[in-house]
Amino acid sequence: MAPSRNRRPGFSRRAQYGLFLSYVIAGAGALVALVLLALSSVNPPAYAAARATVAELTTPLSSGLAAIGRGLGSIPAGIGEHFAVKARNAELRRELADASRLLQRARTLNYDNRRLRALLHFRERAVQPVVTARLVSSTASSTRRVAVLNAGSWQGVREGQPVQGPEGLIGRILETGPNTARVLLITDPESIVPVRRTRDGLAALVVGRGDGMLDVRSVSLANAAFGAGDLFVTSGTGGIFAPNIPVARVVRRASDIALARALAQPNTLDFALVQQAFLPPPAPKPAPTATPTAMPSPSPTSAPTLAPSAPE
């Protein structure tokens, strides 16, 4: 009689080893997770140091994998661009003709603006860049929206500095290591950015939702109307973000609170610019020191007091 083909894994030495190895890996993973959870609850500074160490070790690997991914992802785009170059060229010519008219108008407005600034003696604070670095990774499934920057305190990066991309605001520096930094994205629920609407200057706040989208909330009007396509830029309030940095665009019409989409997407960016805070915090006031009080000196005209003599 031929043996049955439905043999249990216990008859195979290879299957036994594979099953045992899977149990060992699962148990080790659960143990490491429990240790990290306990460490984050009992000793948050030690957990932050461990997380920074892991980021330092994994950043070179993340940079290499990101470079490989960018290279492989550019192949289809290059092929498509090769076959569509003629149509793209005609479209760019039309856009150039439209842009030339806008450029002439912008030059006129810029000239008038310079003359008015000179008349008003207007002085504008220039924000100095700190460093240009790569965003090597970012969270995609967690409710916290944090990205890792491959530049840290050795490159001059400090906590609270704004991070900007070509399309708009990305976030601000949350933590720094020697060569890495964690960026709190504007889509994080703990991120609040003061903004204004470009068409009428309406003051608002952009708050992260944790799902990749943003909430725009009015701070000056009750039941303010938001229209689809409204563009919001930073207002400069708070002293962290410089004014006029593009932040978000409203998705659909709403009142009081509107759903918006961030203009800068960290998962599509190669480089990010770290800048100094628009208004640095004031220097701490010196502590008052106690001044010694001078003792009153005896008057030179006062006569010395003589002690009474003892009787003889």
Side-chain angles (χ1 to χ4, degrees):
M1 182 176 177
S4 176
R5 295 183 179 181
N6 298 327
R7 302 176 64 185
R8 295 185 302 170
F11 291 96
S12 174
R13 185 73 63 179
R14 182 180 299 176
Q16 292 178 355
Y17 287 157
L19 186 61
F20 176 73
L21 183 60
S22 64
Y23 285 148
V24 171
I25 294 175
L31 182 60
V32 171
L34 290 175
V35 170
L36 292 177
L37 181 61
L39 184 62
S40 63
S41 301
V42 176
N43 194 349
Y47 177 73
R51 182 171 53 192
T53 303
V54 173
E56 291 286 337
L57 296 177
T58 57
T59 295
L61 180 61
S62 300
S63 301
L65 294 177
I68 295 174
R70 286 190 299 270
L72 295 177
S74 63
I75 294 176
I79 296 174
E81 190 70 21
H82 174 72
F83 289 104
V85 64
K86 187 175 181 179
R88 182 62 176 168
N89 191 17
E91 183 182 355
L92 289 176
R93 288 180 182 273
R94 290 192 298 268
E95 292 181 359
L96 182 61
D98 296 337
S100 62
R101 292 189 292 268
L102 294 176
L103 180 61
Q104 295 298 329
R105 183 180 178 185
R107 286 176 176 173
T108 303
L109 294 177
N110 188 26
Y111 174 72
D112 293 339
N113 194 16
R114 288 201 309 268
R115 290 194 303 123
L116 292 176
R117 286 173 182 263
L119 290 174
L120 295 175
H121 300 286
F122 183 77
R123 299 183 62 186
E124 185 175 359
R125 179 180 176 85
V127 180
Q128 298 295 330
V130 177
V131 68
T132 301
R134 288 185 181 272
L135 290 172
V136 296
S137 63
S138 61
T139 55
S141 59
S142 173
T143 56
R144 297 303 307 271
R145 299 293 173 173
V146 180
V148 178
L149 192 75
N150 66 345
S153 58
W154 289 354
Q155 289 77 30
V157 180
R158 300 290 183 268
E159 295 182 7
Q161 292 176 342
V163 182
Q164 182 180 350
E167 292 83 6
L169 185 65
I170 297 175
R172 58 182 175 86
I173 300 297
L174 183 62
E175 294 178 358
T176 60
N179 286 304
T180 59
R182 301 178 71 233
V183 181
L184 181 70
L185 305 180
I186 59 175
T187 53
D188 187 89
E190 295 186 2
S191 173
I192 300 176
V193 181
V195 296
R196 62 176 180 86
R197 189 160 55 186
T198 54
R199 62 184 174 90
D200 58 359
L202 175 67
L205 294 176
V206 168
V207 183
R209 292 167 54 96
D211 57 355
M213 302 296 288
L214 302 169
D215 282 337
V216 181
R217 305 175 181 178
S218 173
V219 297
S220 59
L221 296 176
N223 297 324
F226 297 99
D230 284 350
L231 180 64
F232 286 85
V233 298
T234 54
S235 62
T237 305
I240 297 179
F241 307 107
N244 301 324
I245 301 176
V247 179
R249 189 183 299 275
V250 175
V251 175
R252 55 177 176 265
R253 184 179 181 84
S255 60
D256 197 19
I257 299 178
L259 182 66
R261 187 183 303 275
L263 295 178
Q265 300 295 328
N267 55 349
T268 61
L269 296 177
D270 288 337
F271 293 93
L273 179 65
V274 182
Q275 296 178 326
Q276 295 284 357
F278 179 59
L279 293 176
K285 296 182 179 180
T289 57
T291 56
T293 56
M295 298 296 294
S297 57
S299 175
T301 57
S302 60
T305 303
L306 297 178
S309 58
E312 296 179 357

